[in-house]
Amino acid sequence: MDQDSHCTAERELLEAVSRITTSSTTSPSDEEENQPKAEISCQVRKENPEKDDMQDSSATLSPNSSMTTKELQEYWRNEKRQCKQIKLLFEIPSTRIVEHHLSKYVMYKIIILQTGSFDSNKSVIERRYSDFEKLHRNLLEEFSEELEDVTFPKKSLTGNFTEEIINERKLAFKDYLRLLYSMKYIRRSKKFIDFLTRPELQEAYGCLRGGQYTKALEILLEVIGLQERLTRGNPVAIVPTLCAIVVCHKDLENPASAFEYGEKALARLCVHTSHRYYMPLLETMITLAYELGKDFLSLQEKLEEWKTKKDPVRVFTLKELAVREYVR
């Protein structure tokens, strides 16, 4: 492609992006027009979190003149996906009773489905009553007004393991999750997202630190889809998980897959070059590109450009950053 054609392509992409951005910011979604009263009543009180969320989303996805055509195309695809509301359904089809030493509790199997999708998009997790209880307690600290009419299943002194009580709680927890997800501020909150993803991520990073890369990778690949759907308005939030997948693939001597996930992470950081993962990721991608016989000069140029703009500071490697995640 000659220079004029290249410039024309970039201009067309930028114009398309501008049209999408304008339409998405000026036209309210069906979801926001039909928000529950509890959510609408809190909009004034929660003005700053909404503002921060919008700023973070636009900062993540705004194009700039330094982006390559490929990065603009990735931005355009992300922006189109942003215009489509993803809705999740929560099902609790079964439970199991766990007896561990002197403790006994019920584990609830939660299936999270994307509406209009096939089973391949579902996520399966398990949580116990105390996990739900902790979530509710944490949410009340920040969203007491929104939750004032929400009834949380009480814990009985006896009969907690009867079939009747367990079935009642299955239905109650299903409705509870559905209600939480219907409230915009709650479903975007770190506390709600952590409830659905943090235990699995903690286990995965623990395996990574222990050198169990196959097990860590298995868990990370299961949780990344759910984490991505939950943080759709903030794509940068899943960069650490993507980079952990890169580390696992790289240490398992699968450079092609490592490079694939590295590209996904870089696409989310194209306008976030100050992110702590940016430089270590670039260095890793240069090594992988060289190993795979791919063009690494553009990556090297970005790295050199970054170095000229930043003060020389101690920078961790990608693996060093990954093993530090979820360390208590």
Side-chain angles (χ1 to χ4, degrees), residues 43-280:
Q43 286 185 357
V44 175
R45 187 171 65 84
K46 300 292 184 182
E47 181 178 357
N48 288 337
E50 173 65 5
K51 182 178 178 182
D52 293 342
D53 184 59
M54 292 174 62
Q55 288 176 338
D56 184 64
S57 177
S58 62
T60 301
L61 295 170
S62 298
N64 61 45
S65 59
S66 66
M67 293 169 67
T68 65
T69 300
K70 183 176 180 180
E71 289 170 339
L72 283 168
Q73 290 172 337
E74 178 65 23
Y75 166 82
W76 182 75
R77 284 192 292 269
N78 285 338
E79 190 66 20
K80 284 203 301 184
R81 289 195 292 266
Q82 280 289 320
C83 296
K84 297 179 181 179
Q85 169 66 25
I86 283 187
K87 294 184 179 180
L88 300 180
L89 298 176
F90 298 87
E91 299 289 342
I92 304 181
S94 61
T95 61
R96 63 186 178 95
I97 297 176
V98 178
E99 295 190 53
H100 184 68
H101 297 305
L102 299 178
S103 64
K104 182 179 179 181
Y105 52 88
V106 179
M107 293 294 290
Y108 296 85
K109 181 179 180 180
I110 306 169
I111 297 180
I112 305 163
L113 296 161
Q114 180 177 324
T115 57
S117 67
F118 297 104
D119 286 344
S120 59
N121 289 325
K122 71 180 180 183
S123 299
V124 182
I125 60 176
E126 282 190 319
R127 298 292 183 267
R128 54 188 291 187
Y129 181 93
S130 60
D131 295 324
F132 282 97
E133 191 176 40
K134 181 179 178 181
L135 168 66
H136 190 69
R137 187 168 59 250
N138 289 339
L139 289 176
L140 282 174
E141 295 175 357
E142 187 176 355
F143 304 104
S144 58
E145 183 178 336
E146 291 87 337
L147 297 174
E148 62 182 357
D149 296 325
V150 176
T151 302
F152 187 81
K154 299 293 184 181
K155 198 166 189 176
S156 305
L157 294 177
T158 60
N160 287 301
F161 302 102
T162 64
E163 184 177 354
E164 181 182 2
I165 293 296
I166 291 175
N167 286 333
E168 286 179 2
R169 286 182 179 169
K170 278 169 53 179
L171 295 174
F173 284 142
K174 173 186 172 180
D175 290 340
Y176 177 70
L177 291 173
R178 177 191 56 79
L179 183 59
L180 293 184
Y181 186 75
S182 72
M183 301 180 189
K184 180 172 60 177
Y185 298 108
I186 291 182
R187 73 167 173 265
R188 291 180 179 179
S189 71
K190 185 178 184 300
K191 293 174 181 177
F192 180 67
I193 295 171
D194 278 353
F195 168 79
L196 296 171
T197 61
R198 189 177 181 89
E200 287 72 24
L201 288 172
Q202 285 179 323
E203 182 183 0
Y205 279 99
C207 292
L208 193 157
R209 284 189 289 273
Q212 302 175 31
Y213 302 114
T214 300
K215 180 63 175 176
L217 182 59
E218 178 185 338
I219 300 172
L220 290 168
L221 290 176
E222 286 183 2
V223 76
I224 186 70
L226 174 60
Q227 191 183 19
E228 183 174 17
R229 293 194 291 272
L230 289 168
T231 60
R232 197 166 183 80
N234 180 21
V236 175
I238 68 167
V239 165
T241 307
L242 288 171
C243 288
I245 293 174
V246 171
V247 169
C248 289
H249 274 305
K250 188 172 183 295
D251 279 25
L252 290 170
E253 299 183 353
N254 191 354
S257 295
F259 191 84
E260 176 189 347
Y261 280 92
E263 284 189 313
K264 293 179 181 180
L266 273 181
R268 287 163 170 78
L269 295 179
C270 60
V271 292
H272 278 271
T273 58
S274 61
H275 196 281
R276 70 187 190 281
Y277 271 89
Y278 183 70
M279 182 178 177

Side-chain angles (χ1 to χ4, degrees), residues 15-29 79-80 82-83:
E15 290 172 0
V17 164
S18 178
R19 288 195 296 272
I20 293 173
T21 304
T22 301
S23 63
S24 64
T25 54
T26 57
S27 301
S29 64
E79 190 66 20
K80 284 203 301 184
Q82 280 289 320
C83 296

Side-chain angles (χ1 to χ4, degrees), residues 5-19:
S5 299
H6 181 80
C7 293
T8 301
E10 290 195 357
R11 284 197 300 271
E12 290 176 352
L13 282 168
L14 284 170
E15 290 172 0
V17 164
S18 178
R19 288 195 296 272

